Amino acid sequence: LALAEVLLRDFADPQDGGFYFTASGHGDLIHRPKPLGDESIPSGNGIAARVLQRLGHLLGEPRYLDAAAGTLRLAGESMRSIPYAHASLLAALDEYLEPPETLIIRGEGDALAQWQRLAQSGYQPRRLVLAIPAAEQGLPGALAGMVPGPGVRAYRCAGTQCSAPIDDLEMLRQCLAVSNTKR
């Protein structure tokens, strides 16, 4: 979260969207680059957009989601013109159009591990699973509202929308089976 805040404060272009390669306090530059294309490493703008989207969905933080959307808008024409040079931005765009399923599991010990194994079983590239011990306090944003139950409890979310908590392992298994057939 601290890095996301530095990214927004020092690197974001609030007018046109996207992120500069250099920080705002870097000094006088002839040109302050804002690269969009992937080169030998993925584009910083593509990585920033994807990470900010995931954090924005996980925490319910609109500033992160807005910054990611602004980056994708800025890069739209570049992605259409030369898609093969923008894989990291296209991956962010894919998650923008269809946010991944996120499972937040709260509990303790072996039961938490069992629920986590179930949620992570099989190949589910559009599912993010976070197992958070019930004793963990001070969670940021929307995670703070995902309180543990008397046993293990799971919250299924898509984007910033979450369903009612699931307190039964068999019910989670059924929900995941339905989810697996849709993807």
Side-chain angles (χ1 to χ4, degrees), residues 75-94:
E77 186 55 42
S78 293
M79 289 188 286
R80 278 189 289 280
S81 298
I82 314 169
Y84 56 84
H86 299 87
S88 60
L89 280 161
L90 288 169
L93 177 62
D94 182 52

Side-chain angles (χ1 to χ4, degrees), residues 1 59 106 132-148:
L1 293 177
L59 303 175
R106 303 290 312 268
I132 303 172
E136 191 66 39
Q137 299 292 316
L139 296 174
L143 285 177
M146 297 182 185
V147 296

Side-chain angles (χ1 to χ4, degrees), residues 52-114:
L52 287 172
Q53 276 181 158
R54 287 186 177 190
L55 278 175
H57 288 140
L58 186 63
L59 303 175
E61 177 54 68
R63 292 178 310 122
Y64 296 166
L65 295 170
D66 292 345
T71 302
L72 294 171
R73 275 192 301 279
L74 171 72
E77 186 55 42
S78 293
M79 289 188 286
R80 278 189 289 280
S81 298
I82 314 169
Y84 56 84
H86 299 87
S88 60
L89 280 161
L90 288 169
L93 177 62
D94 182 52
E95 285 193 8
Y96 175 81
L97 296 172
E98 187 178 339
E101 173 187 34
T102 305
L103 284 169
I104 311 300
I105 306 171
R106 303 290 312 268
E108 293 297 336
D110 292 339
L112 177 63
Q114 179 185 14

